[in-house]
Structure formats: C-alpha cells, structure tokens
Amino acid sequence: MADRSFLAWPFFEDRHRAYADKLDAFADAEIAPLEGDHPEADLDHACREILGRLAAGGWLQNAVPGEGRPLDVRTLCLTRETLARRSGLADFVFAMQGLGSGPISLFGTDEQKAAYLPAVARGEKIAAFALSEPEAGSDVAALAMTARDDGDAYVLDGTKTWISNGGLADFYVVFARTGEAPGAKGLSAFIVDADTPGFSVVERIPLIAPHPLATLRFDGCRVPKDRLIGAPGEGFRLAMATLDVFRSTVGAAALGFARRAFDEALARTSSRQLFGAPMADLQLVQASLADMALDIDTSALLIYRAAWAKDSGATRVTREAAMAKLHATETAQKAIDAAVQLHGGLGVMAGHPVERLYREIRALRIYEGASEVQKIVIARQALAAWAGRA
C-alpha cells in the first residue's frame, strides 16, 4: 500500500482526508480489477466503462464546479494520484473530463455551464480540450486555425492534432485565431459539438500507452456565437488560466505512477533472494530505494503546495504549477526506470505493472507543456520577480 502519511500535512483539510479514504476504497474495488484488461482491443469501450464507474460513484462531480462549490485543485490532485496508482487510463478519463470542460468551468456563461457541466459530471458528455496543431504545440501563439466572424456565427477552418478524447468526445473546447491582434492576443475559444457539420475526425493516433487521441479537421465548421467562451481575443488567457489549474494535476498523476512503482520495487526487493539474502539488504538497492523515496516526497510537496496556493486564492500559480509538473514527471520517470531495473527480466515483461508504468509515464513529460517549456516558464517567472525588486 502506498504511503499515506502525506495526508497529515497542513496543505489538507479534514474533508480532503475523508475524500482520499473513500476514493482509495473505491479505486481498490472498482478500478484496480480492471488493471489486467487490455484496452488496446477496444479502447473506446474501456474508456466508457471507466467513465461509467466514476460517474456512478459520484467522482466526476469533482472535475467540474457545482452549486456553491468551486473547483478544488487539491481534490483534483488527490483524485488523479489515487487513480493513477491503479490505472493510467482511469486517471486519463477523469483528467479529461476536468481539462476538457475547464474553460467552461472557469470562464463560461451561466447558460454554457448549465448546458455542459452537469452532463460532464454525470458522465453523459465526454469533454476534450483542442489546442495543439501540427505546427503549434508548445508555441500556442503560433496557432494557425482560423475562426471567421460571419454574422450570427463563427466559421472555423483548420486542423488540430494530439487531441485527447479525439473521436470519443461529445464536445470540444477549440482555440482558433480570430485576429484581434497578432500572436497570442488574437485567439478565441469555442465550444464545438461533435455532430457539428464541417467537423471530422481525420485519424486516430496510436500511443505506446493506449489512450484515445486523434487529429481533427474543421472545414467550414459553423459555430453559433453563443458558443464563444469569454470575449473575442481572450483565448490565450483562457487556455493559460485553465492549464494553470490543471498542470499541477499532471504532476499528481506522475506521483501516483511513482508511488505504485515504489511499492512494486519494495515488494520485489523484500521478497527476492539474491546471493543468499533479500535484495533489499544490498546497499546499491537501498540507495536506489532511497532516491525513489526522496523524489516522491519532494514531488508531493511541490504538487500540494501549488494546489493549496491556488485553492487559497492565488490568482495565478504559474511558477508553482510549472515546478510541480516538471519535478514530478521527471523524477517519476527515474523512479519507474529504477523499478524496472530492480525487477530484472520481469520488469520488461509485457503486462507487468512496472512495464505498464514505463509506457504510461513518458507522455506526461510532454503534454500540457513539455519539461523544457516548464524550465522556461520557471526561469521567466524568476527573472520577472527579480526585475520587480530591482
């Protein structure tokens, strides 16, 4: 069982501790049994199965704000960490309900929220966040997709790719260039239903860890003006503010993966006999385990600091979220690699928990801002703070 002593930290309230206990029991009963399944056979069915279980348990309600209940980033992080320890796909399903509807949660009109968020919380609508393009991923200001003002609607033309839940989602929050100003200041955000004429799924993208991703095409896709989120030209701000909330949760998913890898490594090295004694008696093995423990606790501190700061009223936690995401994903990769090494041949056997973790973790160092981008963000925040003091 993963270490839970971190729940005693002052970042959390009693409601978070009670929530974590209930979710842990649910995940053991409803998510862990799915671990041996092979979603490659029918990925969409596997996602819908998990979505149904999360919805039936009421957990998806925490992916969107409710009546008098804002998004709570600590709860989002606890959920992703807990689910990721059992299933990377379950973490993905929950995360995308939150991220995909995030701009509506944070900036939508009352009508937009009423039309989409309750259905997201009930698992009746699957959400997607469509930002990346073939030539614009980390550089959001380079987006080329256009949205032309045409009377009572905007007409969207262009391509999106690497879109999570692509081909599975019921609606997409799409970012396109409306041209109010050059670069990042000329983007806007729209809600596009999957059955809108002119919208199509060009191809599904296979990954080393099966998740539903796709390339999307918008060809004269006419979207009513009441599907614009915020004001024209505010798309970049909306996207960055949404990522500001959810970027810490990517770190939480990585933390869940790392905790599972650590548990597997502890179990293996305690039971495996080598040179007449348990592997865990070897000093080099102990050094590897110590590195894993240190990185896990450091990641948890950074993640829940960022989440606590946002929940405590910080307008932006760009620096804190970038640090959390960068450190947690990079060190989780190291921890999982160490777990594979400690398992020897078992570690590379298809279907073994650490082998699955090895494939799951790699993408987290890329999406929602690659590690290199996080370093730039952190450095720029530090330089801006220094300049402000000068």
Side-chain angles (χ1 to χ4, degrees), residues 225-350:
K225 282 192 170 176
D226 63 5
R227 302 298 173 86
L228 173 71
I229 305 174
E234 289 188 339
F236 182 81
R237 181 178 70 86
L238 269 60
M240 294 303 103
T242 301
L243 293 175
D244 214 35
V245 170
F246 287 94
R247 188 165 279 153
S248 298
T249 77
V250 180
L255 177 61
F257 292 151
R259 288 196 194 278
R260 176 64 183 275
F262 191 40
D263 280 356
E264 295 289 340
L266 289 170
R268 176 65 175 171
T269 57
S270 296
S271 62
R272 171 68 165 163
Q273 295 291 308
L274 197 62
F275 306 119
M279 279 183 68
D281 287 354
L282 298 174
Q283 288 184 333
L284 284 176
V285 171
Q286 292 177 5
S288 181
L289 295 173
D291 286 341
M292 295 166 75
L294 177 61
D295 286 340
I296 285 170
D297 268 17
T298 307
S299 294
L301 285 163
L302 287 168
I303 291 161
Y304 290 110
R305 177 189 71 162
W308 168 83
K310 188 64 178 176
D311 290 339
S312 298
T315 304
R316 296 296 298 269
V317 290
T318 304
R319 171 178 170 272
E320 293 86 347
M323 286 183 169
K325 199 264 187 184
L326 173 64
H327 188 276
T329 56
E330 290 291 323
T331 59
Q333 178 84 64
K334 292 196 301 180
I336 292 166
D337 185 72
V340 169
Q341 193 75 10
L342 290 170
H343 277 76
L346 282 178
V348 292
M349 186 175 71

Side-chain angles (χ1 to χ4, degrees), residues 44-70:
D44 290 1
H45 173 78
C47 288
R48 293 185 187 279
E49 168 70 15
I50 292 169
L51 184 76
R53 295 190 182 202
L54 292 173
W59 306 106
L60 294 179
Q61 295 177 17
N62 298 288
V64 298
E67 188 67 34
R69 175 179 53 80

Side-chain angles (χ1 to χ4, degrees), residues 66-136:
E67 188 67 34
R69 175 179 53 80
L71 279 173
D72 186 272
V73 186
R74 286 168 292 180
T75 298
L76 291 171
C77 288
L78 284 169
T79 306
R80 292 201 65 179
E81 179 186 337
T82 302
L83 293 176
R85 288 210 318 267
R86 278 80 172 189
S87 164
L89 194 59
D91 163 65
F92 172 90
V93 169
F94 175 83
M96 287 313 305
Q97 288 297 89
L99 178 63
S101 62
I104 303 174
S105 297
L106 297 172
F107 301 103
T109 64
D110 289 342
E111 292 76 15
Q112 290 170 344
K113 291 177 181 178
Y116 290 92
L117 298 187
V120 169
R122 293 192 298 266
E124 295 168 0
K125 285 184 181 293
I126 297 176
F129 185 86
L131 183 64
S132 296
E133 296 181 1
E135 301 299 328

